[in-house]
Amino acid sequence: MKKSQKFILWFKETRIKDIPYVGGKNASLGEMYSNLMNKGIKVPNGFAVTAYAYRYFLKKTKTDKKIKEILKGLDTHNIQDLSKRGALVRKTILAADLPQELKTSIVNDYKKLSQFYKKSNVDVAVRSSATAEDLPDASFAGQQETYLNITGADDLLVAVKKCIASLFTNRAISYREDKGFDHFKIALSVSIQKMVRSDLASSGVMFSIHTETGFKDVVLINASYGLGEFIVKGVVTPDEYLVFKPTLKQGFRAIISKSLGEKKVKLVYGHGQIETEEAKVSKSDHLKFALTDPEIIKLSKWACLIEEHYKKPMDMEWAKDGRDNQLYLVQARPETVEALKDPNVIEDYILQKKGKVLCQGAAVGKKIGQGQVNVIKDVSQMVKFKEKQVLVTEMTDPDWEPIMKKAAAIVTDAGGRTCHAAIVSRELGIPCIVGTGDATQVLKSNQKVTIDDTKGEVGYVYQGLLPYKIKRSNIRNFKKPRTQIMMNLGNPETAFSESFIPNEGVGLAREEFIIANYIRIHPLALINYRKIKNSKDKRLINKLTAGYQNKTQFFVNKLAEGIAKIAAAFYPKDVIVRLSDFKSNEYANLIGGKAYEPEEDNPMIGWRGASRYYSEEYLAAFKLECLALKKVREKFGLINTKIMVPFCRTIVEGKKVLKVLEENGLKRRQNGLEVYVMCEIPSNVILAEEFAKIFDGFSIGSNDLTQLTLGVDRDSELVSYIYDERNTAVKELVSQVIKKAHDHKPRRKVGICGQAPSDFPEFAQFLVKQKIDSISLNPDTVLATTLKILQQEKKQKKR
């Protein structure tokens, strides 16, 4: 018998080409079961009730004609009409009996599956698999229903019919109408697959692409305890892990980011007639990651294998069985949003004025949206929602989709980046913030707000309608100048998106941003944690370092992850990381910092930069920085990371810092490690030949060099009118250091990472005349300044 005329097809009989017979979900399961099990990927066995069986059922019971009549003249934008007709269609399907021959086929194959697993009645997941779902341009995210922990033939037959009815849920009808799919050219197959006992362990989703930016070199994994439905529905905020694919494939444990989610509840097997129910997660468990590092690595390797097999970015579901402690892949489909975007078009949403922050959560997308708030706590209130309002709710599920597509933006209390609200918002191109915790309490209906997702992984809800602009740049034919154009970066969360701007790497990666925003604690306070007497400081440290017994490891891990995100975003291009360059007053502002910092009259020229790293008072803290950098290079494999020493006043200081680096596993020239020095003090220029003997290159810090050349405190408003990087004296020193570095044998590279070329295109042109090797710019100035540099290079070529 032909596949097209079978009621049942087992996974081992199906391949991806069989979507017309078994739908996208089942075709993908069959593809993986048949082709990827031999590569170590575990896929639970099962079978599909085919699209032929679905059509047979509708035709034999004449249900198809009744559905056509019910849906004639439907307007999906009329929520009440859609709801009324959808309910009538589902009622009609559920009232019809499955033909006996179809029932017999399903029951017999269920018995075979039970025998395969050596059980009398094996527990199965029953999922819908539409013949048009999971296509590259339509995700059908959660359009049809899923029924978990189904046991016994009678319950299975009921679940199959419910799945068929779910092809006509309100949201599925609406979605197909909007996408232009004919209701009757789409059929439904039903997936019947052995349950993975993740109710006793954990489960989640993963992508082989970064879902917010389209950066293709990472695997993004979300994980929570229990069955996976709570992640998709946004009931929990899951853990989030990022793994860097290029060095993972080289054998490194490249988990470049781990974020702990609030996993306070989980979905587990129910009792009696209740298939599943909610259960609490113990406090000790929700403060732990749901996956171990080896499990994260294993899943990431699977993601790479699956992506290579399908030859496109993929969206996958996984589960861990609490009985055998094994990981399983339970679904894979094409990623349908970021993978299809044109990488040559850079779109920047720019907020032109900041306002009062009302709440914040995880940013979905990189856009800005605004409008009038409409707080809707129950799906039954959907009729109150109006076009272009901001939907604020606790969480969404597929029933909300008819109004989600009308929203100017969406904000939810719960959920992570792979919950339903996030998935649908991405596909619709709507700004969204999930996991705020309190949006439905803080925000009030009719209040005007602006949603800003442009600041990285955190999205902000501002009070009022703030002005913003959209800047679009096509870089398809963008030429590279001879002078290397690099970037200045501090925020790891924007690195993936900014990597798409034409560049030659990062000339300045600032540790200060990572320490101030992600660590927030003075390193010596972590080292001396047990001696802290200030109860407020201790309480804050305990909150920030939850889950860490070793408090100093928190500093090392968070700094390493921040640096690694930037290094991964630009890999294999150079990323030059400047060692921490806080002044003593800035260090004092970190939690617990006042106990370890002196009060200086002029911290700008006080205890900062190189002088800290070898001093007995700070050496223990600097060693934590070294451990973080060592982890980035050796554990994550990001050897494109270089080191830069700031505010190095003398040759003796430079040698002392290099010695400390070497003693802590960061030996210059070993494993390709280059160490640069900032040129920001006149002594760096005067003794450039000597500095060139111990360092691999210079990076001009024009801000400090201007201050110290002109004797101007750059923080003083009284003399700010004198401060100008374009002053002849400053330019003379810049010219000198470039010449001395280039004349040195061997030749030393010189770049600039100060603000001047970003602010003044003519200063950038001056640097080109001096034949500087690289210019590092703020991301928002790269395109415009590069055009000026190209003009200058063209002039010099003509001469």
Side-chain angles (χ1 to χ4, degrees), residues 196-204 223-228 231 289-292 295 318-322 326-327:
V196 176
R197 292 300 305 268
S198 60
D199 61 308
L200 303 173
S202 58
S203 60
S224 189
Y225 298 115
L227 302 169
I231 288 183
F289 288 110
L291 286 174
T292 64
E295 288 169 340
W318 61 270
K320 181 182 176 183
D321 195 303
Q326 295 293 310
L327 291 165

Side-chain angles (χ1 to χ4, degrees), residues 103-114:
K103 284 184 185 178
T104 302
S105 287
I106 294 169
V107 171
N108 286 344
D109 282 278
Y110 173 64
K111 286 177 182 174
K112 288 178 189 174
L113 185 63
S114 296

